[in-house]
Amino acid sequence: MTKIKHMIDEICEEIEGAKGYAERYLEYRAEQDSTWAGRFKAMAEDELKHAGYLHELAVAESRKFK
């Protein structure tokens, strides 16, 4: 269970990272800087992808306990 708890913490960190990048995306979008807005959007999406992978792993690990 400690392993799954650690994965949950990692998922939360990835989501927080995505949130930070999304906020910066909005800032650059408001400034009409499409280059940096696009880069921060991509970074936010990457963080969410990482969170998704960790979620898949956590679900797989939790099924081992059934």
Side-chain angles (χ1 to χ4, degrees):
M1 289 303 258
T2 307
K3 191 176 191 180
I4 295 172
K5 169 74 170 101
H6 180 68
M7 284 182 232
I8 292 168
D9 291 341
E10 289 178 319
I11 291 167
C12 290
E13 289 174 16
E14 295 291 341
I15 292 170
E16 282 299 313
K19 181 181 172 187
Y21 289 137
E23 288 170 352
R24 297 198 53 198
Y25 157 74
L26 292 172
E27 291 171 12
Y28 282 100
R29 185 172 170 217
E31 295 173 6
Q32 298 181 346
D33 186 334
S34 61
T35 299
W36 285 105
R39 288 179 182 170
F40 278 104
K41 181 181 178 188
M43 288 189 285
E45 290 169 342
D46 286 345
E47 294 290 290
L48 292 176
K49 182 171 44 173
H50 301 160
Y53 292 154
L54 290 167
H55 177 262
E56 288 177 34
L57 180 59
V59 169
E61 290 292 324
S62 70
R63 288 190 177 137
K64 292 179 183 178
F65 292 106
K66 289 186 177 183

